[in-house]
């Protein structure tokens, strides 16, 4: 494959370099804050990448995708609570259960289209959320603390922050590569064809439903893996992991970074979470010389600045940040 | 006499108060080019949609090569050999012409649960696509994205996609719609070349083309077949003249 030095590829290379080198910086500076922030970013980027597979390539706008974060997380948390801490058992189970939930949710929702699909995925995810709230043995809506991270018989030590970070990074990059292979495979072309013109796909001989369903399940399984990582990262699970606002965050990451670009969701996750962390600070600092004390007060309302920024991206840059840079290079 | 490839028996379809297909019975033998003509809203597209499997008839049966396909979904009928081109172009605009046609070939080359291998490097699919595109005269435009191709080229890709599924029965819904005169001549030559090789149901408003190509013609008015027969018989049929053709167009077709 060629690697032309387009603005898009340079951005992606820069983001990868940043992600790879970040632990070096935090080790040298002794500031672990960024390592923590970026571990969270990597995990959510993994979840957003899985959403992009169904939403960006398959046209299946799921408004309940965070539910698999929750299910993956609960898979880890519940097993840990019940005394099973082997990661070799926890992780496959967490992924498998996420896939099963995706199978049921997908089988029901993929019979509908458009707004109905969005509403059904949202409704089913909220049902799972309330099921989580009612699990009193596992902390109900207060959630559950995980005392021991997944054990991989000494192979990987998840309690080491740097190791954990690089594990997340490796899983993210591996998944991005997997998605890239997938979307160019026979299967991927069927999924993308069904997004583009499902009627024609059926007319030329594709039973599209089963392909879309399998795609939905694959995305759910990957997001379940992200949930397993998240539970280990925060040492905590709660229904909030799968609240619909979380699903909304994932959609924002995908749209912001660029739907239908394999690296878009990673760029989107970095952009969104870094903005969330830095906007209050930036508004206060940059606004101070101009507006004095009122800038500091304005900083509390940073979301008022973030909202219109996201809206502008959605309206004027339909391919997100990555798409914005692509357009300059191609036709 | 051998069994006809397509048997339509007592087909009915209504939309609310509109009877779009009214008790149509028709046998189409293998290798025939059968034209269906009729005024706007006569139910031609509705008939094709039922033959293709997109619409389920309210009553009646459709048999393809002796198999009852009446309640089969459209994709399964495609696998059995029914291919359709759309009156209103229906392609994958963000893909290239070759991708479009290769996708049609892919649907007929085993299942698509292959997750790893690059489908664009499957030479069998690419070759089938290229052959179909060359057949319709689009061989040199294969790698252009469909959204950047002209309407006339879209019409050609419509046919190429149908051909790439290796069909037995071709349902062509106004392949010449919106074509300029030179493009229409090219399409006419293509249809003539496809004749005999496939069993074809052709819907077309261009009477010159219809009378030049068809083995038999059925005239559809308000969902009902008012006449079926050879072109000369249709041209001479007074009921058809009154209901549809009008003296001028018949005279025009006669001159052709
Ligand atoms: N999905 C539908 N719902 C309701 N009415 C429909 C539907 N499809 C077609 N009709 C009606 O059925 C009748 C036949 O329509 P159809 O499209 O089959 O005609 P046609 O012969 O293909 O016309 P044209 O020459 O304009 O393509 C028309 O009166 C049309 O309004
Ligand atoms: Mg029509």
């Amino acid at each position: 494959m060629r690697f032309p030095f387009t603005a898009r590829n340079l951005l992606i290379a820069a983001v990868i370099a940043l992600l790879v080198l970040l632990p070096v910086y935090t080790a040298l500076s002794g500031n672990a804050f960024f390592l923590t922030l970026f571990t969270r970013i990597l995990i959510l980027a993994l979840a957003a990448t899985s959403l992009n597979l169904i939403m960006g390539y398959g046209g299946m706008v799921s408004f309940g995708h965070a539910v698999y974060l929750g299910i993956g997380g609960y898979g880890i948390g519940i097993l840990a609570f019940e005394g099973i801490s082997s990661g070799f058992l926890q992780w496959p189970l967490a992924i498998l259960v996420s896939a099963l939930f995706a199978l049921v949710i997908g089988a029901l929702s993929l019979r509908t289209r458009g707004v109905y699909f969005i509403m059904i995925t949202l409704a089913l995810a909220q049902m799972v959320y309330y099921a989580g709230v009612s699990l009193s043995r596992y902390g109900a809506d207060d959630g559950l603390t995980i005392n021991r991270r997944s054990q991989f018989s000494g192979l990987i030590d998840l309690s080491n922050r740097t190791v954990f970070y690089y594990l997340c990074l490796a899983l993210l990059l591996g998944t991005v590569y997997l998605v890239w292979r997938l979307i160019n495979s026979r299967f991927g072309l069927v999924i993308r064809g069904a997004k583009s013109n499902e009627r024609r796909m059926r007319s030329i001989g594709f039973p599209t439903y089963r392909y879309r369903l399998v795609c939905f399940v694959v995305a759910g399984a990957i997001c379940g893996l992200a949930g397993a990582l998240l539970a280990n990262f925060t040492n905590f699970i709660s229904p909030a992991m799968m609240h619909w606002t979380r699903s909304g965050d994932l959609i924002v990451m995908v749209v912001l970074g660029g739907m239908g670009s394999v690296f878009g969701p990673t760029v989107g996750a970095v952009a969104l979470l870094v903005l969330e962390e830095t906007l209050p600070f930036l508004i206060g600092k940059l606004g101070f010389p101009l507006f004095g004390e009122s800038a500091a007060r304005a900083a509390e309302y940073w979301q008022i600045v973030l909202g219109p920024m996201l809206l502008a991206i959605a309206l004027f840059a339909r391919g997100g940040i990555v798409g914005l840079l692509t357009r300059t290079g191609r036709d | 006499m051998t069994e006809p490839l397509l048997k339509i028996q007592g087909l009915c379809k209504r939309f609310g108060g509109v009877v779009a297909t009214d008790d149509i019975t028709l046998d189409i033998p293998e290798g025939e080019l059968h034209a269906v003509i009729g005024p706007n809203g006569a139910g031609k597209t509705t008939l094709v949609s039922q033959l293709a499997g997109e619409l389920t008839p309210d009553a009646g049966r459709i048999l393809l090569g002796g198999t009852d396909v009446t309640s089969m979904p459209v994709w399964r009928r495609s696998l059995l050999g029914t291919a359709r081109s759309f009156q209103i172009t229906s392609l994958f605009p963000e893909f290239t012409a070759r991708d479009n046609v290769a996708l049609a070939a892919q649907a007929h080359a085993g299942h698509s649960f292959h997750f790893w291998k690059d489908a664009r490097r499957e030479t069998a699919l690419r070759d089938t696509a290229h052959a179909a595109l060359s057949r319709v005269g689009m061989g040199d435009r294969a790698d252009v994205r469909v959204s950047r191709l002209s309407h006339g080229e879209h019409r050609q890709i419509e046919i190429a996609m149908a051909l790439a599924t290796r069909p037995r029965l071709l349902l062509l819904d106004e392949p010449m719609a919106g074509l300029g005169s030179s493009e229409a001549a090219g399409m006419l030559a293509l249809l003539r070349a496809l004749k005999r090789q496939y069993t074809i149901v052709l819907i077309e408003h261009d009477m010159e083309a219809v009378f030049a190509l068809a083995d038999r013609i059925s005239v559809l008015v308000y969902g009902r077949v008012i006449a079926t027969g050879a072109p000369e018989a249709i041209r001479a049929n007074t009921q058809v003249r009154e209901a549809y053709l009008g003296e001028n167009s018949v005279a025009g077709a006669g001159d052709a």
Side-chain angles (χ1 to χ4, degrees), chain A residues 181 184 186 197 199-200 211, chain B residues 54 90 109 112 119 122 158:
Chain A
R181 295 299 306 215
N184 289 301
R186 275 190 174 210
N197 187 347
R199 182 181 182 206
R200 186 62 186 230
Y211 290 101
Chain B
E54 265 187 28
S90 177
S112 286
E122 288 197 42
E158 277 281 335

Side-chain angles (χ1 to χ4, degrees), chain B residues 44-45 87 173-174:
Chain B
K44 304 181 293 294
T45 299
Q87 177 175 359
D173 196 353
E174 300 199 22

Side-chain angles (χ1 to χ4, degrees), chain B residues 15 18 20 39-46 87 174 205:
Chain B
F15 297 110
V18 179
N40 291 114
K44 304 181 293 294
T45 299
T46 304
Q87 177 175 359
E174 300 199 22
H205 276 300

Side-chain angles (χ1 to χ4, degrees), chain B residues 55 77 81 87 102 113 119 121 148 170 188 205 212 219:
Chain B
L55 285 176
R77 282 193 225 190
Q87 177 175 359
F113 289 105
R121 294 203 179 159
R148 312 173 105 215
L170 265 180
L188 184 63
H205 276 300
V219 183

Side-chain angles (χ1 to χ4, degrees), chain A:
Chain A
M1 219 186 63
R2 287 177 304 131
F3 184 91
F5 288 95
T6 61
R8 183 186 77 130
N9 288 342
L10 288 176
L11 170 79
I12 290 169
V15 169
I16 294 178
L18 166 83
L19 293 176
V20 171
L21 295 177
L22 188 98
V24 179
Y25 166 76
T26 52
L28 291 177
S29 66
N31 180 353
F33 167 76
F34 278 111
L35 194 62
T36 309
L37 171 64
F38 272 82
T39 306
R40 195 158 63 92
I41 289 177
L42 290 177
I43 295 171
L44 292 177
L46 179 60
T49 299
S50 72
L51 176 61
N52 185 38
L53 176 61
I54 52 172
M55 185 168 114
Y57 291 101
M60 299 171 252
V61 184
S62 166
F63 210 137
H65 202 63
V67 79
Y68 312 108
L69 274 179
I71 291 164
Y74 269 81
I76 303 295
I78 290 175
L79 288 174
F81 183 78
E82 303 294 353
I84 301 167
S85 58
S86 162
F88 294 117
L89 219 69
Q90 284 181 344
W91 289 41
L93 263 173
I95 293 169
L96 187 72
V97 174
S98 303
L100 284 177
F101 269 81
L103 183 67
V104 174
I105 292 175
L108 295 172
S109 58
L110 284 172
R111 301 193 180 277
T112 63
R113 291 288 174 276
V115 179
Y116 299 100
F117 181 80
I118 297 175
M119 297 313 286
I120 287 189
T121 50
L122 173 62
L124 292 173
Q126 282 300 94
M127 278 172 60
V128 178
Y129 167 82
Y130 285 112
V133 169
S134 70
L135 284 178
S136 48
R137 180 173 166 81
Y138 305 110
D141 54 354
D142 289 335
L144 185 68
T145 300
I146 299 172
N147 294 319
R148 204 160 170 230
R149 287 188 175 177
S150 303
Q151 301 298 309
F152 285 96
S153 30
L155 282 176
I156 312 169
D157 179 13
L158 296 191
S159 55
N160 179 319
R161 277 182 187 166
T162 310
V163 169
F164 192 86
Y165 176 89
Y166 278 118
L167 174 68
C168 292
L169 182 60
L171 287 173
L172 173 64
L173 293 180
T175 301
V176 169
Y177 181 64
L178 180 108
V179 168
W180 184 72
R181 295 299 306 215
L182 199 85
I183 56 157
N184 289 301
S185 70
R186 275 190 174 210
F187 179 80
L189 291 188
V190 174
I191 293 306
R192 292 159 74 189
K195 179 197 179 193
S196 170
N197 187 347
E198 182 167 22
R199 182 181 182 206
R200 186 62 186 230
M201 284 299 281
R202 293 176 59 78
S203 163
I204 57 179
F206 285 110
T208 48
Y209 177 78
R210 61 184 73 164
Y211 290 101
R212 289 160 59 93
L213 182 57
V214 168
C215 188
F216 198 85
V217 170
V218 169
I222 296 173
C223 196
L225 172 65
L229 287 171
L230 194 59
N232 272 292
F233 171 62
T234 56
N235 300 312
F236 180 71
I237 52 166
S238 83
M241 291 171 88
M242 47 185 162
H243 194 252
W244 68 270
T245 51
R246 277 293 187 119
S247 300
D249 287 344
L250 294 180
I251 293 181
V252 169
M253 287 172 202
V254 173
V255 173
L256 183 64
M259 264 205 290
S261 137
V262 282
F263 254 108
T266 301
V267 173
V270 172
L272 181 68
L273 294 180
V274 168
L275 274 178
E276 274 185 10
E277 289 297 332
T278 55
L279 259 187
F281 174 77
L282 282 180
I283 293 170
K285 272 277 187 265
L286 296 178
F288 189 78
L290 293 173
F291 306 109
E293 282 305 316
S294 55
R297 261 175 285 130
E300 288 175 35
Y301 301 100
W302 57 274
Q303 281 158 320
I304 294 176
V305 179
L306 184 62
M309 282 173 75
L310 297 178
L311 201 64
I313 293 265
L315 288 178
F316 301 114
R318 301 205 65 191
I321 297 170
V322 171
L324 210 58
L325 299 175
T326 308
R327 208 158 309 155
T328 53
R330 213 171 48 190
D331 43 78

Side-chain angles (χ1 to χ4, degrees), chain B residues 41-139:
Chain B
K44 304 181 293 294
T45 299
T46 304
L47 175 63
V48 164
S49 294
Q50 291 170 89
L51 298 180
E54 265 187 28
L55 285 176
T56 315
D58 298 332
R61 297 207 306 158
I62 300 164
L63 290 99
L64 182 75
T67 311
D68 189 332
V69 298
T70 316
S71 51
M72 262 187 206
V74 56
W75 61 268
R76 202 179 281 280
R77 282 193 225 190
S78 168
L79 296 182
L80 275 183
T82 304
R84 169 194 195 166
S85 80
F86 286 84
Q87 177 175 359
I88 296 164
T89 303
S90 177
L91 303 170
F92 310 106
E94 61 273 56
F95 291 103
T96 66
R98 199 195 302 273
D99 285 344
N100 270 258
V101 183
L103 210 41
Q106 182 185 319
H108 293 255
H111 66 78
S112 286
F113 289 105
H114 296 282
F115 302 95
W116 198 254
K117 213 174 113 195
D118 189 343
R120 292 191 176 90
R121 294 203 179 159
E122 288 197 42
T123 45
L125 301 181
R126 304 313 268 183
D127 291 349
T128 308
H130 194 80
L133 281 168
S134 303
R135 188 88 207 263
V136 303
M138 288 277 298

